[in-house]
Every structure is written in C-alpha cells, then in structure tokens.
Amino acid sequence: MLTVTLSTLRTRWMTLVGTFVALALGVALIATMGLGLASTLDAPEQEPERFAGAPVVVRGTDELRVPTPIGDRTQPLAQPRGVAPEVAKALAAKAPTVADRSFPVRVAGPGGDDDLVGHPWSIAAFGEYRLTAGHEPRKPTEVVLSGDASLVGKAVSVRTPAGLSTRTVAGVVAPARFEEPIFFADAEAAKLSPRIDNLVVQAAPEMVRTVVGAGSDVQVLTGSNRRKADPEPNRDRDALIAMNALLGTAGGVTTFVSVFVVASTFAFAVAQRRREIGLMRTAGATPRQVRSMMFMEAVVVGVLASVAGCVLGSYSAPWLASLLVDEQLAPPWFTIGAYTWPYHVAFWTGLLVALGGVTVATVRAGRIRPVEALREASVDTKAMTPGRWVFGAGLLATGLSMLVWRLLADPGDALHRKTYTTQPMLLITAVALLAPILVRPLTRLLAWLPAQLPGATGMLVRENAAAGVRRTAAIAAPVLVTVALAGSLLGATATINEAKANEIREQTRADLIVQADDAAGGFDAQTVAQVRQVPGATVTASAATPVYHLEEGTALIRSDAQAVDPRELVAARKLPVQAGDIADLDDSSIVVNKEWVQHTVGEQVDVWLGDGTKKSLRIAAVIAAGTGNNGVYVTPRNAPGFTPDRLEVTWAAGSDVNAGTAAVRAALQPTGADVQTRAAWIQSEYPSNSRQTRVGYLVVLGIALIYTGIALGNTMMMATSDRVRDLAVLRLAGATKRQILILVAVEAMTVVVVGAVLGTIVTAFNILGIWGSLAALSVWSSVVLPWQTLAATVGACAVVAVVASVLPAAGALRTRPVELSGARE
C-alpha cells in the first residue's frame, strides 16, 4: 500500500495541494495566536519610575481587605488613603522625610491647554527630574513645567483645587514618559493639597517599619514595590490582561475557523475520489486497504503541512506583535517569547484534524461496493450519513437551547463579549453539518428564475449545484463561516450599542451636560456654585464613586456608583425604577440595581465606600439592570474624597435659555470643560467602539476572514479541477469556451449565495437572541445588522470564488475535448 500511496500522491497532487494549503494556513493561525497568547502570560516586572531614587516610600493603604469564611478578599481602593499626619510627624522625628502630594492642575498658556499633575518641587529629585533651564520654584507664584526652555519667564494661567491663578514659569525639566508634571514650591503645594499621598523617608526600612508599627494603615515600600506609588503602577500588567483576553478570543475564533475549514476541505477531498475508490475495489482492494491508504496519505500531508504551518507561524507571530504595539494594544516592550508549547499544540491539532477529517469519509468509502461507487460518482444520492444527522441535529438543538436558556435564566450573560463570540460557533457547525439537506432546495430556489431564461446556462447551474451536493456544501462552508462570524460579531456589538444609546436617550432629562476631563479631577466648589447661580438653572452635580459589597458572603464586588443629591437627580434623569422611590434616598440609604443579590426595598446591606469605610445602608429603591450602565446611587456624604465630575443643567419654564447657556459656558470656560446640549452629549456618548476595540476586532475577524477567503479559493480550485470530464462533455456537446466559462462563473456565484444565505440565517438567530435578552432586561432596541459589511464580505467571496474557478477551467479548456473526456481520475 505504500507504493500505491506514493503513486496517488503524485497523480492527485492538485487535490492534495489544496488540502496541504488549507491545513498549513490553519496550523499557522493556531501557532501565531498561541505564541502571542503565551507571550502575554509572563510580564517583566515594572520598575519604579517617580520614586526610583527614593530609599523608602511610606504610602497610605490602597487596598480594601475584607475577611470572609473562605479567606480575605481584596479590591483596589478607588481613593487610596493618605499618610496620617501623626505618622508623618513620628517619622520626621527619626529621619529626613519629604512629603509628596498629587493634585490635578489645568494650565493655559504659551504651550496650550493641558491637564497636568501637581507636585511639590522637593519630590522631583527622586524621579530623576533635572532642570534643563531656569531654577526651582522659590516663590508661591512660581512653577516648573516639563517642556521647552523658551517657557522660562512666561506667565501661565493655572487652575488648581484652590481656584484660578496666574503663575510664572521659573524653570523647565525634561519630559517624563509616565506623567506630565507641574512643580510648586513645597509650602504652596501643601497649601493647595494638604493631604500627604506619599512620604519619602531617608532611613533604613527596618527603622521605618518599627516607627510605623505592625498592623498600621500604611505601606512601607522598598525595592521594586516602590512602583506602587507611581501613576498607573500596574499599567503593563493590565495591558497584558487585556491582551490575554483579546488573543484568547482571537485564538478561539481562529482555531474554530481553521479546524472547521480544514475538516471540510479534507472530507471534500476524499469525497472527490469515490470513482478512484470504486476502481480500486473492483481491482480487489479490501475496505481495510482503502482506509489504510487514505490514512497514510493524510499522515504524510498532515505532517508536512503542520510543519510548514509551524514555520509560517514563527514568522507571522512577530508581525502580529508589531501590529499590536503599533496600535497601542500592547506595551511598547511587548515581543514574542521563545515558547515551544504553542508549536506542539498547533502541530498536533493540525495532524489530528487531518486524520479526523479523513476518518468519516474513509469509513464510508470503505463500505461502498465497487458498482455502487462507480454509479455514485456523478450524482450525490446520500450526502447525509447517520453520524452527520446526529451531530448536526444535536449541535443545532444545543445552540438553540442555550439561546433560550440565557433568555430565561440570565439575559445579561448574552451581552458579554465571550458569549456572543462563542455562541455562533455552535450554530455554524450545526448548519454546516446539515448543509447537504439544505443545499439542494436552496439551490433550486435560487436558480429557479435563471433556469426560466432562454439558453441552458440557468438549467445547468441548477442541476449541477443540486446534483453535486457534497461539492456545493464544501464550497459554501467557507462562505457560511465568513458571513456568520462577521454578521454575528459585528451585529451583536451594533445592536448592544444601539440599546445603550436608547438607554441614554430615555434616561437623560437635562438640557445641558458638562463632563469634566478625567485628568482634571472634577469641578471645584467655586465653579459649581457659579453655575448654580445662573438664573433659571437647576443643577445636578454628580460624582463617580465605587461601592464595594460582598455577594453571598464570599465574593467582594465593586459596583460603579454616582454620588448625587436625590432632589437634583429627579430633575436631571429618568431612572428605570422597578421598586421603591428615588426620593427616599438619603445619607443612610442606597439605590441598587437588580443585578445585586440583595435587591429588596427596605433591606439593610453592608457596603464599603470608595475610601474603604464600611457602612450599613438601607435599600431605598431598585432600578433595572439594563445593559449594564445602570449603576448604584448614593448621597455625596457617602462619597468621601470625590468631587463632582458631571454637571447637568435643566432650565425652568420661561427661562432665557440662550442667555443662561452663555452664562454657564462663561462660568466653566476656565475649566476647559465642554458644555454640550442634550442632543450633542447623547451623540458624543453614543456607545461606539474605540480604536483599540476596532483593531481588536480586526485581529479577531480580519485574520480569520482572510484565511477563509484563501480556503474558499483553494476549495474552488479543487472542485473545478475535478470537473475536467464535465467540461469536456460540454465542449463535445457544442458549448463554446466562453459559454463554459460563463457557466462556471455563474455556478461559483450561486454557491457563494447559498453560503451567504446559510450564514445570514445563523446571524439572524444569534442577533435575535441578543435582541430577546435586551427585551428581558427591559431595554428596547432595534436589531442592527452590518449590511454593508456583509455585502462587502459576500462580494469579496464571490470575486475569489469566480477567479478560483474560472482560471483552472480556462487552463483545462486549452486541451482538446477528446483528450479531456478520456483523462484519468
């Protein structure tokens, strides 16, 4: 059988090249994603930056620790505690200390408007800041900026927590990668921000710990732990966590696509050889010998293609890493590490898929009697096997059952990215397995009108596609997965975004909305008071603050909350209240959403505020969970340390809106905040994917879709090269080369449309599941399908299919019809 196998590899090279290409590209995708995923698991330790030169840093606790029956549970505090004055005084009595303070500063001057971070000058030395021009701030009115030396001596307008003032640039320092600072004289910084955020102690760590005492509410940071006092101390780790999620999703999708396409391609390649198998059975080959030959072929092709795919993956993985760095999805230092396990996973997956793809077909082929095989070569009479029925129907029932289960039990889960990314895979596989029973009626329906037109082209398209069910299903498979994935993923995000936008429209009553910049740190009391004094204006000032609570006594959960006066809240927003009354909110109560385990009005819940303070609050009202934007509401007293970061202005009846709007803009002009009308704010807040998210979808979808496009062209060439006899018969019957090429092109487009229709059906089921989950969450939204993307995808598939079918057909037509009709299989 080895001689027969080698002979077959030589004579059927076109079919085997097709399977080789599909498998090699699939293995390359798996290896690429595996290498990228492995490289996100080990992040280099982030070194201290702002306190790189400090021996010891004392810092207030920045972690909430709550004991539970199964151990302590922790969460990062949104408002880290400062160093207590008594601790700072005790340390200062033992060793030299330098107090660090950080506060938001907005600067308007020669360099433009910038949001900076204020610090005392004495702390600059520990971050290796060095003056490049001028001198340190010696007077309360002097500051030091990072930038060009030409700024020295310039007057700049500075807004600090104390208000607006004019300062003189006394000196400049070189820019830093980790922050944009502005330095004040030490006494002035202490006046602007009395709280001590960090304390540098020039002493031995043991002495500092002795003074501080065990169990105190401060941290003593040394060595690499000093980075905890830096801005974004975990930015590299957080970036890698996001990268891990992205590449994990991309790896799952690409693995599914590659396995799906490779298995389909292998099964089709075996199905093409039924006449050859029949001849071998007629010559005396046993079913066992037939299966052994085909398995040996699969092993040879599988090993060679898997090796080639691993080599290709080793080159494509660095390109992927470079793309992620360029698009700011990965830290600048991110590279592909020297890992071997992704190659093992990719290689053995490729080989197992090759063997799995050939198994079912060879078992069936080995059971066919010689005469039946010869008779069955032209028309597919039994395309569905019992196994295909079982697995197809089972996966379809499972996929639909999961849609219904989420709708009834946990509709919020359907809105998670992992859910609507993986859900389509079940239905895609189910429809692909059941495709043979769908292809024939669908093809006849699509080709009914062309078949009525003069000429034989329409009739031949209909009969050829309906007769070659396996061929049609195999070619439609890449189109099915392409359209279904693109439609399901993009349609799900678009539908969810539309629902979120509807929530914003329905809940916003204010006429003007002002959102503070993240770097600005919110609006000071003087600014809020000025806006409140505008005639006819009802102002709702709210501050974003977290609230922590224990679920079922073991899980410490952080919930986003808004701190707002309940009397003002009713005027600015219309919340989806399901129980209780928003007006009952006071300093001893809380408004929760229905996602909370405890959501009964009047029930007491233990929560921890943004600074870690524990309180027991009564539930005053319960609002719908919605799409996840409906958070928690508390009063400003329960948001210590947080300043208003959003102002909503509602005009009283009969007010001069134009004059009032101008007054609001004038009051907020020094802050640099953008005053928007309700319509403009809703438009700006319309949930849309960020650039990073769009690039993420490019990684998830783009690579997979390019692969399926190549697989489609590959399968089309295999199918066309196998129809040499058919083309010869048409030529002998009198068809011209031009007519045959038109027929081949129309058949290719018909099969693409069949795959597109099946993919659209899968998309419709997935999107309807999302829409039903939104309705169960009391959010009404229209179904949004990315028609332009789907049309472009189908158009690209049609172009690939036509080119990949017409080119080999044109090459085959160069040979005389008599020679073609007698060509060997």
Side-chain angles (χ1 to χ4, degrees):
M1 292 306 294
L2 179 60
T3 303
V4 175
T5 300
L6 295 177
S7 176
T8 305
L9 289 172
R10 288 195 302 270
T11 56
R12 295 196 64 91
W13 65 269
M14 187 65 185
T15 298
L16 295 174
V17 164
T19 55
F20 177 90
V21 171
L23 183 56
L25 289 175
V27 171
L29 278 181
I30 297 172
T32 299
M33 293 303 170
L35 287 168
L37 188 61
S39 299
T40 65
L41 300 178
D42 299 314
E45 191 172 71
Q46 189 170 317
E47 294 298 322
E49 293 172 318
R50 202 160 74 84
F51 293 94
V56 180
V57 178
V58 176
R59 177 175 175 80
T61 183
D62 56 4
E63 183 179 72
L64 173 64
R65 184 175 297 272
V66 178
T68 70
I70 59 173
D72 289 353
R73 292 292 176 263
T74 61
Q75 281 279 3
L77 280 175
Q79 183 68 40
R81 296 168 184 167
V83 179
E86 56 270 21
V87 173
K89 184 176 180 180
L91 288 170
K94 296 288 186 178
T97 61
V98 179
D100 172 50
R101 312 167 198 275
S102 299
F103 48 95
V105 179
R106 187 173 184 86
V107 175
D113 293 349
D114 291 302
D115 291 315
L116 310 179
V117 181
H119 298 296
W121 170 251
S122 58
I123 209 71
F126 301 106
E128 299 182 355
Y129 281 107
R130 297 293 181 268
L131 287 167
T132 57
H135 58 81
E136 72 278 5
R138 299 166 183 166
K139 301 177 182 178
T141 57
E142 291 181 339
V143 295
V144 170
L145 299 174
S146 64
D148 190 81
S150 62
L151 292 174
V152 176
K154 300 287 186 180
V156 292
S157 179
V158 175
R159 175 170 286 275
T160 66
L164 188 64
S165 60
T166 300
R167 310 277 174 155
T168 301
V169 179
V172 295
V173 294
R177 183 176 69 92
F178 50 87
E179 70 172 356
E180 293 188 48
I182 176 172
F183 295 101
F184 295 79
D186 288 7
E188 182 66 8
K191 180 180 177 182
L192 296 173
S193 181
R195 194 183 85 153
I196 300 175
D197 297 305
N198 304 288
L199 190 70
V200 176
V201 185
Q202 301 184 45
E206 294 75 14
M207 187 277 287
V208 176
R209 292 190 179 94
T210 300
V211 174
V212 169
S216 62
D217 203 22
V218 295
Q219 308 172 76
V220 178
L221 307 178
T222 59
S224 61
N225 283 334
R226 291 170 297 169
R227 65 176 174 78
K228 295 181 179 180
D230 287 338
E232 298 182 287
N234 297 315
R235 64 176 181 273
D236 289 349
R237 185 197 67 182
D238 294 341
L240 287 186
I241 290 175
M243 279 272 296
N244 185 274
L246 169 64
L247 292 179
T249 302
V253 172
T254 53
T255 300
F256 165 75
V257 171
S258 58
V259 170
F260 178 89
V261 172
V262 168
S264 175
T265 303
F266 259 90
F268 175 55
V270 174
Q272 282 184 308
R273 302 172 61 182
R274 285 169 299 158
R275 179 174 297 187
E276 175 188 331
I277 294 170
L279 290 173
M280 293 180 64
R281 295 280 287 115
T282 303
T286 65
R288 182 174 178 275
Q289 290 174 320
V290 171
R291 287 194 289 268
S292 298
M293 179 197 70
M294 302 188 89
F295 267 109
M296 291 175 67
E297 290 177 5
V299 169
V300 172
V301 175
V303 169
L304 294 177
S306 296
V307 170
C310 289
V311 173
L312 183 59
S314 69
Y315 286 97
S316 58
W319 171 84
L320 175 63
S322 177
L323 171 67
L324 295 173
V325 171
D326 291 342
E327 297 298 334
Q328 300 177 6
L329 290 173
W333 49 261
F334 180 72
T335 57
I336 300 298
Y339 300 95
T340 57
W341 67 260
Y343 293 111
H344 285 285
V345 171
F347 177 87
W348 293 110
T349 299
L351 186 57
L352 289 174
V353 169
L355 296 177
V358 82
T359 298
V360 176
T362 53
V363 170
R364 186 185 182 196
R367 291 175 179 173
I368 295 177
R369 291 178 299 172
V371 175
E372 291 177 344
L374 291 173
R375 184 173 64 244
E376 204 179 29
S378 299
V379 180
D380 294 325
T381 57
K382 293 182 179 180
M384 290 293 293
T385 62
R388 196 158 187 161
W389 275 107
V390 171
F391 284 108
L395 286 175
L396 181 62
T398 301
L400 295 178
S401 298
M402 290 182 68
L403 283 176
V404 175
W405 177 80
R406 287 194 182 95
L407 183 63
L408 299 177
D410 188 10
D413 184 56
L415 309 187
H416 298 160
R417 187 178 66 178
K418 287 185 178 180
T419 300
Y420 63 72
T421 299
T422 56
Q423 175 70 36
M425 297 179 187
L426 283 174
L427 295 181
I428 289 172
T429 307
V431 173
L433 288 172
L434 298 175
I437 64 174
L438 303 173
V439 162
R440 185 174 279 117
L442 187 56
T443 303
R444 291 189 178 279
L445 177 63
L446 293 174
W448 178 83
L449 181 58
Q452 309 306 312
L453 299 176
T457 300
M459 181 269 294
L460 287 174
V461 168
R462 181 187 65 191
E463 298 304 323
N464 284 340
V469 172
R470 288 193 184 91
R471 181 179 68 245
T472 303
I475 298 171
V479 183
L480 161 64
V481 70
T482 301
V483 172
L485 277 179
S488 296
L489 298 188
L490 298 180
T493 55
T495 301
I496 293 171
N497 286 346
E498 178 64 24
K500 291 181 178 180
N502 285 339
E503 273 190 318
I504 293 175
R505 294 189 191 98
E506 293 174 1
Q507 295 181 18
T508 303
R509 286 176 170 172
D511 300 299
L512 296 178
I513 297 97
V514 190
Q515 189 77 41
D517 293 335
D518 292 338
F523 301 105
D524 56 71
Q526 179 184 351
T527 300
V528 176
Q530 289 178 351
V531 177
R532 292 188 189 279
Q533 291 172 3
V534 174
T538 299
V539 180
T540 301
S542 60
T545 179
V547 170
Y548 308 88
H549 64 287
L550 277 177
E551 281 193 356
E552 299 178 353
T554 57
L556 184 60
I557 306 298
R558 168 177 169 151
S559 297
D560 293 329
Q562 293 283 321
V564 61
D565 187 319
R567 294 167 298 180
E568 298 174 352
L569 178 62
V570 174
R573 304 183 197 178
K574 181 182 178 182
L575 299 179
V577 178
Q578 295 193 333
D581 190 345
I582 296 293
D584 293 339
L585 177 65
D586 56 27
D587 293 341
S588 62
S589 62
I590 186 174
V591 174
V592 302
N593 59 52
K594 209 165 185 180
E595 284 188 335
W596 279 44
V597 174
Q598 296 173 277
H599 55 264
T600 303
V601 174
E603 188 176 4
Q604 291 289 130
V605 293
D606 290 333
V607 300
W608 288 261
L609 306 180
D611 65 349
T613 302
K614 183 178 180 180
K615 294 197 72 173
S616 178
L617 301 176
R618 173 182 50 83
I619 297 178
V622 179
I623 59 178
T627 61
N629 287 337
N630 297 333
V632 177
Y633 289 86
V634 295
T635 60
R637 187 181 292 274
N638 289 323
F642 291 86
T643 56
D645 55 12
R646 178 169 160 186
L647 303 179
E648 298 168 68
V649 180
T650 306
W651 299 116
S655 302
D656 187 340
V657 175
N658 293 332
T661 300
V664 171
R665 293 184 187 278
L668 292 169
Q669 190 274 332
T671 69
D674 188 17
V675 180
Q676 296 177 295
T677 63
R678 177 179 181 273
W681 182 79
I682 291 174
Q683 182 66 28
S684 67
E685 289 293 306
Y686 185 96
S688 60
N689 295 327
S690 65
R691 186 183 62 83
Q692 285 83 0
T693 303
R694 289 194 297 272
V695 174
Y697 275 121
L698 173 64
V699 174
V700 175
L701 272 178
I703 297 176
L705 299 189
I706 290 173
Y707 171 66
T708 54
I710 296 173
L712 172 62
N714 179 48
T715 307
M716 205 75 210
M717 293 182 69
M718 291 169 57
T720 305
S721 66
D722 195 53
R723 299 183 59 197
V724 173
R725 285 174 178 268
D726 296 343
L727 301 181
V729 171
L730 289 173
R731 290 280 285 124
L732 292 173
T736 65
K737 292 182 180 179
R738 179 174 177 274
Q739 289 174 323
I740 291 176
L741 292 179
I742 291 175
L743 172 64
V744 170
V746 174
E747 283 185 7
M749 288 189 289
T750 302
V751 176
V752 167
V753 173
V754 169
V757 170
L758 294 177
T760 303
I761 292 173
V762 173
T763 298
F765 274 103
N766 284 300
I767 301 303
L768 286 175
I770 295 288
W771 181 80
S773 296
L774 289 169
L777 293 169
S778 303
V779 180
W780 298 99
S781 171
S782 57
V783 172
V784 182
L785 285 175
W787 292 114
Q788 292 182 342
T789 302
L790 292 179
T793 301
V794 174
C797 289
V799 171
V800 171
V802 169
V803 172
S805 60
V806 169
L807 287 182
L813 290 175
R814 293 179 181 177
T815 308
R816 291 187 304 164
V818 174
E819 295 179 5
L820 290 176
S821 62
R824 293 180 304 168
E825 286 293 318

